């Protein structure tokens, strides 16, 4: 078989962190040619210009395709329209054999629509998940319906794809890339983490990331961010290591509230826009608590067995392990959850967590399927029984 060109698109720091192992495997695979397209927040100064992390990894970037304005507040529909146009032009000039996309962002939905419009096969990572508190929910399912190939992260998500009418022969339950990162990426020592961030993280600390909720009728992100800040201020005995919010509407408001909270309490809190993958996972490993509403707080913390407080509805519907404590997005409820999660009893409970996302060599499985899958085979709607899916099952060995 001739070498296949796989275009991997990344728009955010979190997404790149998850894609990192499969990008490296694609770059090293003799049967595949990596075409890495960088877009979205990576190329936006107000969101941290996180393309620098990709550059530091030495990964060859095939294209840098800006789609965000530097001013905050553009309607999402306009950003989607621009992204679709930019990627349609890119795919017309640099047509890959398939496009590999992860997740549920509106930028990635637009990329998928551009690829589908050009009849380029889409391989989708993390389809079948549920997040009822975010617009990501329907973007994710739309991408799944456009995709020719699926790499869900757990058995529940794989079964959901089959119930959505996706053929089981196109669904490869490979496990989670985040879980693989945790198991394989060398972490910093705690002393190195202190030196790298400039904060004293030898003391008990909490890792905090908070994004706006984006479902219809979602609460004001400023009010929710203020509630989290009030709860953190009321809980003693822990240092708050806070990272910036994402590119969703209201994200800049959340970021500003967190920056103001940390600036007013330099002895109790520190803010960093983006930790990058290695620092983030290292911080998660040593944290007494992970708090906020990022998917990593629900999906990746079980592998570490670290206590997690999941605030509000953004991650509603996801699988919850024993280490995750959910609460409404109001100050008294958040404070109570934080205090509970920091107790020795809850820490002991968190250590019993077992991740459903361990698929072993997840990135290797993805590459093997991409190398051998028959993309020319016509996709049909599946109405049959839902089979058993096992992340530990070998793929194309």
């Amino acid at each position: 078989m001739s070498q296949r060109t796989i275009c991997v698109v990344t728009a955010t720091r979190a997404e790149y962190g998850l894609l990192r192992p499969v990008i490296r495997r694609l770059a090293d695979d003799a049967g595949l040619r990596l075409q890495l397209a960088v877009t979205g927040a990576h190329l936006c100064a107000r969101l941290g210009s996180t393309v620098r992390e990709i550059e530091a990894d030495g990964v060859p970037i095939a294209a840098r395709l800006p789609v965000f304005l530097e001013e905050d507040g553009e309607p999402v529909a306009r950003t989607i329209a621009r992204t679709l146009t930019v990627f349609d032009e890119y795919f017309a000039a640099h047509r890959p054999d398939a496009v590999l996309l992860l997740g549920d962002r509106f930028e990635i939905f637009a990329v998928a629509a551009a690829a589908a419009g050009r009849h380029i096969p889409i391989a989708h990572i993390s389809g079948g998940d549920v997040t009822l508190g975010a617009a990501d929910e329907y973007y994710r399912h739309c991408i799944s319906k456009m995709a020719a190939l699926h790499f869900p992260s757990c058995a529940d998500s794989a079964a959901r794809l089959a119930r959505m009418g996706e053929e089981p022969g196109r669904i490869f339950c490979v496990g989670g890339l985040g879980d693989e990162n945790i198991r394989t990426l060398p972490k910093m020592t705690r002393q190195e983490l202190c030196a790298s961030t400039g904060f004293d993280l030898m003391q008990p600390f909490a890792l905090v990331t908070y994004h706006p909720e984006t479902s219809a009728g979602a609460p004001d992100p400023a009010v929710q961010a203020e509630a989290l800040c009030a709860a953190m201020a009321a809980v003693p005995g822990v240092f708050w290591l806070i990272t910036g919010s994402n590119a969703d509407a209201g994200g800049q408001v959340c970021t500003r509230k967190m920056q103001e909270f940390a600036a007013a309490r330099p002895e109790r809190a520190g803010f960093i826009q983006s930790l990058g993958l290695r620092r983030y996972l290292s911080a998660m490993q040593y944290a007494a608590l992970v708090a906020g509403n990022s998917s990593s707080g629900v999906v990746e913390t079980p592998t570490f067995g670290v206590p997690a407080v999941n605030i509000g509805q953004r991650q509603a519907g996801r699988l919850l392990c024993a280490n995750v404590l959910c609460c409404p997005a109001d100050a008294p409820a958040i404070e109570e959850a934080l205090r509970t999660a920091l107790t020795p009893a809850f820490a002991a409970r968190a250590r019993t967590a077992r991740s459903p996302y361990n698929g072993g060599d997840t990135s290797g499985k993805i590459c093997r399927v991409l190398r051998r899958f028959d993309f020319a085979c016509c996709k049909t709607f599946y109405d049959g029984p839902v089979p058993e899916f096992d992340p530990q099952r070998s793929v194309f060995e």
Side-chain angles (χ1 to χ4, degrees):
M1 182 183 292
S2 60
Q3 191 179 52
R4 280 180 167 172
T5 297
I6 307 296
C7 179
V8 181
V9 181
T10 177
T12 70
R13 66 190 185 198
E15 175 191 75
Y16 173 70
L18 293 172
L19 284 169
R20 190 171 178 266
V22 77
I23 287 172
R24 288 186 174 278
R25 297 290 279 270
L26 282 168
D28 293 338
D29 194 310
L32 300 168
R33 187 173 77 86
L34 171 65
Q35 183 185 90
L36 181 61
V38 176
T39 189
H42 287 308
L43 305 177
C44 189
R46 66 181 169 85
L47 295 169
S49 298
T50 49
V51 68
R52 290 191 292 262
E53 183 180 351
I54 303 174
E55 294 167 343
D57 281 344
V59 180
I61 298 173
R64 300 167 192 249
L65 303 171
V67 296
F68 284 171
L69 302 179
E70 282 301 335
E71 298 79 22
D72 188 21
E74 181 180 55
V76 168
R78 293 186 185 177
T79 309
I80 288 175
R82 182 183 305 109
T83 305
L84 201 158
T85 299
V86 166
F87 274 86
D88 176 70
E89 293 172 354
Y90 178 72
F91 290 145
H94 307 278
R95 184 184 181 91
D97 294 298
V99 178
L100 181 65
L101 303 175
L102 185 147
D104 45 32
R105 297 282 310 164
F106 63 85
E107 311 96 301
I108 298 303
F109 161 75
V111 174
R118 291 279 172 183
H119 302 289
I120 300 171
I122 297 165
H124 186 208
I125 299 171
S126 292
D129 290 354
V130 174
T131 48
L132 302 177
D136 300 353
E137 170 80 357
Y138 50 78
Y139 292 133
R140 182 190 310 108
H141 296 330
C142 287
I143 297 168
S144 290
K145 296 311 296 182
M146 289 187 277
L149 184 58
H150 305 279
F151 297 116
S153 60
C154 65
D156 280 11
S157 295
R160 191 172 292 114
L161 285 168
R163 292 197 296 273
M164 288 169 61
E166 299 303 296
E167 301 167 71
R170 296 175 179 272
I171 301 170
F172 295 85
C173 188
V174 295
L177 287 168
D179 185 90
E180 182 184 15
N181 270 331
I182 291 169
R183 289 183 284 103
T184 60
L185 184 72
K187 316 297 189 301
M188 291 178 166
T189 66
R190 198 154 179 160
Q191 292 80 2
E192 288 173 333
L193 186 61
C194 292
S196 179
T197 60
F199 302 123
D200 176 13
L201 302 179
M202 300 305 292
Q203 62 185 313
F205 72 92
L207 178 61
V208 181
T209 304
Y210 194 81
H211 304 303
E213 294 185 10
T214 55
S215 59
D220 183 343
V223 172
Q224 290 194 319
E226 287 170 357
L228 173 54
C229 290
M232 290 190 293
V235 176
V238 64
F239 182 88
W240 306 99
L241 177 62
I242 307 169
T243 68
S245 189
N246 63 15
D248 287 337
Q252 289 296 96
V253 172
C254 292
T255 292
R256 186 165 59 253
K257 295 291 184 184
M258 297 299 157
Q259 288 172 322
E260 291 170 355
F261 175 86
R265 300 164 180 82
E267 301 302 316
R268 294 200 56 209
F271 178 89
I272 294 181
Q273 178 65 39
S274 175
L275 285 169
L277 179 63
R278 186 168 178 240
R279 286 198 301 182
Y280 186 79
L281 291 183
S282 299
M284 188 179 288
Q285 174 173 274
Y286 300 121
L289 168 69
V290 174
N293 61 1
S294 168
S295 61
S296 63
V298 174
V299 175
E300 294 168 35
T301 57
T303 303
F304 283 118
V306 62
V309 169
N310 177 52
I311 301 167
Q313 295 298 305
R314 187 178 175 90
Q315 301 303 327
R318 285 199 188 270
L319 282 173
L320 297 177
C321 294
N323 68 305
V324 180
L325 184 62
C326 295
C327 69
D330 63 77
I334 298 171
E335 179 185 344
E336 181 181 358
L338 294 176
R339 289 181 181 275
T340 299
L342 287 167
T343 62
F346 194 86
R349 169 180 160 178
R351 287 192 291 272
T352 70
R354 294 293 177 267
S355 173
Y357 304 101
N358 185 350
D361 182 23
T362 297
S363 59
K365 290 178 180 180
I366 290 173
C367 288
R368 287 195 291 276
V369 175
L370 289 173
R371 197 186 316 122
R372 304 188 189 189
F373 188 78
D374 182 8
F375 285 109
C377 182
C378 182
K379 178 179 174 178
T380 61
F381 193 93
Y382 177 73
D383 275 320
V386 177
E388 293 288 330
F389 292 97
D390 181 4
Q392 292 291 348
R393 185 188 67 181
S394 62
V395 175
F396 286 162
E397 294 289 3

